[in-house]
Amino acid sequence: MQKNIEFIDKLRSSGLRPTKQRLKICEVLFNREETFHFTIKDLVKKISDNLNEKISLATVYNTVHAFKDKGYLKEISINSDKSYFDTNITNHHHFFDEDTNQLIDCEDDYIENINIKKNITGKKINSVEVLIKVASDNQNQN
Amino acid sequence: MQKNIEFIDKLRSSGLRPTKQRLKICEVLFNREETFHFTIKDLVKKISDNLNEKISLATVYNTVHAFKDKGYLKEISINSDKSYFDTNITNHHHFFDEDTNQLIDCEDDYIENINIKKNITGKKINSVEVLIKVASDNQNQN
DNA sequence: CAACAGTTTAGAATAATTATAATTTAGTTT
DNA sequence: AAACTAAATTATAATTATTCTAAACTGTTG
Ligand SMILES: [Mn+2]
Ligand SMILES: [Mn+2]
Ligand SMILES: [Zn+2]
Ligand SMILES: [Zn+2]
């Protein structure tokens, strides 16, 4: 449970002005125990749930991209028409529940270390991410 | 190098009428040695390069989705605003070259087997895909 | 050939995202 | 504290990928 003053420092230290919109978004994103995986739409909903005054959609996009650029958020690849973002910025893998469209972190002890034995010549590896698509186990699924 | 008659059989056998648009798209997609990774835009370009008469954009979308539904194409998850498709429908991993935005198949001998040690309860695993993002190796990159 | 379902098509509609340009605000300088 | 300036917010327009619609066209079957 971070204090407002901590968010102000965090923003200032990366050259972002601590506006009230950014602070509110910090609260929503980072004042939580668990990792938050979200789309812009999810975030807008959380904001309007927690807030009497509204933040413009453009500002939500601007802020999420600024936070991503500063390394406070990660963008996640899902086969979908929209972007997902992740408050867990470490290198990690995901389950994607195709029933609920939910992203879930894959803990390190769920998967053996990935070993890339060969790489493309002249290129360096920036990330290695596993996406495990799961769905309901029962026979009669739609 | 498949013959037109083979595509006609292929389409008929999955309940798709062999129209001239579908046959042309089959040629572009499947008359090649190498796997083809493409976006709809890429495919439209290939079609107009190879063809004097044009195929409507709606038909290209319809056909790609029909081929995907029949299992002749695979849709690939890339962090992007557009979908990629793949003529390699086997279970396999990818390199994504962030310099060129190109998808490249990761041969089996490039990566050790992925072992998912635990799964989410009540769910079955539908796919496990690794995405290796690579980029230029040199220091002075923009 | 006639009939009919399947397919193609232009164009409209939708949805996510980005751009624009005017207004407001945060931080700095007088 | 008032003035100044660059950064940020905002409503709104623009863009892009994709899907929908409904009319015209075509492949298949009898
Ligand atoms: Mn899609
Ligand atoms: Mn994006
Ligand atoms: Zn995550
Ligand atoms: Zn592939």
Side-chain angles (χ1 to χ4, degrees), chain A residues 17 19 21-22 54 56 58-59 62:
Chain A
R17 288 186 179 175
T19 63
Q21 291 86 346
R22 285 175 177 161
K54 78 180 273 291
S56 106
T59 298
N62 289 343

Side-chain angles (χ1 to χ4, degrees), chain A residues 2-140:
Chain A
Q2 287 178 87
K3 284 262 157 42
N4 216 269
I5 187 76
E6 294 178 53
F7 292 135
I8 291 177
D9 287 347
K10 182 175 181 165
L11 290 170
R12 283 229 182 83
S13 74
S14 49
L16 297 173
R17 288 186 179 175
T19 63
K20 68 177 194 301
Q21 291 86 346
R22 285 175 177 161
L23 289 171
K24 191 70 211 175
I25 291 173
C26 278
E27 273 178 48
V28 171
L29 293 180
F30 306 121
N31 257 344
R32 51 176 71 231
E33 300 301 313
E34 302 284 311
T35 296
F36 186 31
H37 296 101
F38 63 98
T39 64
I40 295 287
K41 205 175 161 191
D42 295 334
L43 178 55
V44 166
K45 182 164 171 19
K46 288 261 181 205
I47 291 168
S48 75
D49 285 355
N50 290 25
L51 196 60
N52 31 9
E53 60 210 300
K54 78 180 273 291
I55 297 178
S56 106
L57 183 59
T59 298
V60 177
Y61 272 98
N62 289 343
T63 302
V64 166
H65 283 126
F67 285 5
K68 182 196 165 194
D69 292 344
K70 298 299 180 181
Y72 303 143
L73 289 174
K74 213 175 144 160
E75 200 168 356
I76 303 290
S77 320
I78 295 289
N79 188 15
S80 172
D81 38 10
K82 61 177 72 107
S83 270
Y84 281 70
F85 294 89
D86 192 339
T87 56
N88 179 354
I89 57 175
T90 68
N91 203 321
H92 66 287
H93 311 301
H94 289 98
F95 292 98
F96 184 67
D97 186 332
E98 295 184 309
D99 299 322
T100 63
N101 269 31
Q102 242 198 321
L103 258 188
I104 301 152
D105 277 355
C106 179
E107 304 300 327
D108 277 342
D109 57 322
Y110 275 53
I111 194 168
E112 254 168 39
N113 245 23
I114 310 297
N115 186 17
I116 312 296
K117 293 190 281 185
K118 290 190 217 165
N119 184 17
I120 294 178
T121 22
K123 301 280 174 176
K124 79 169 194 305
I125 291 179
N126 282 337
S127 71
V128 177
E129 298 209 335
V130 182
L131 185 62
I132 306 161
K133 291 188 180 169
V134 301
S136 190
D137 204 3
N138 48 10
Q139 274 77 18
N140 53 330

Side-chain angles (χ1 to χ4, degrees), chain B residues 101-134:
Chain B
N101 268 31
Q102 242 198 322
L103 258 188
I104 301 152
D105 277 356
C106 179
E107 305 299 328
D108 277 344
D109 56 322
Y110 275 52
I111 194 168
E112 254 169 39
N113 246 21
I114 309 297
N115 186 16
I116 312 297
K117 294 189 282 186
K118 289 190 218 166
N119 184 17
I120 294 177
T121 22
K123 302 280 174 177
K124 79 169 193 304
I125 292 178
N126 281 338
S127 71
V128 176
E129 299 209 334
V130 181
L131 185 62
I132 305 161
K133 291 189 179 166
V134 301

Side-chain angles (χ1 to χ4, degrees), chain B residues 17 19 21-22 56 58-59:
Chain B
R17 289 186 179 173
T19 63
Q21 291 88 347
R22 283 174 179 163
S56 105
T59 300

Side-chain angles (χ1 to χ4, degrees), chain B residues 80-94:
Chain B
S80 173
D81 36 12
K82 61 176 71 102
S83 270
Y84 282 69
F85 294 89
D86 193 339
T87 56
N88 179 353
I89 57 174
T90 68
N91 204 320
H92 65 285
H93 310 301
H94 289 97

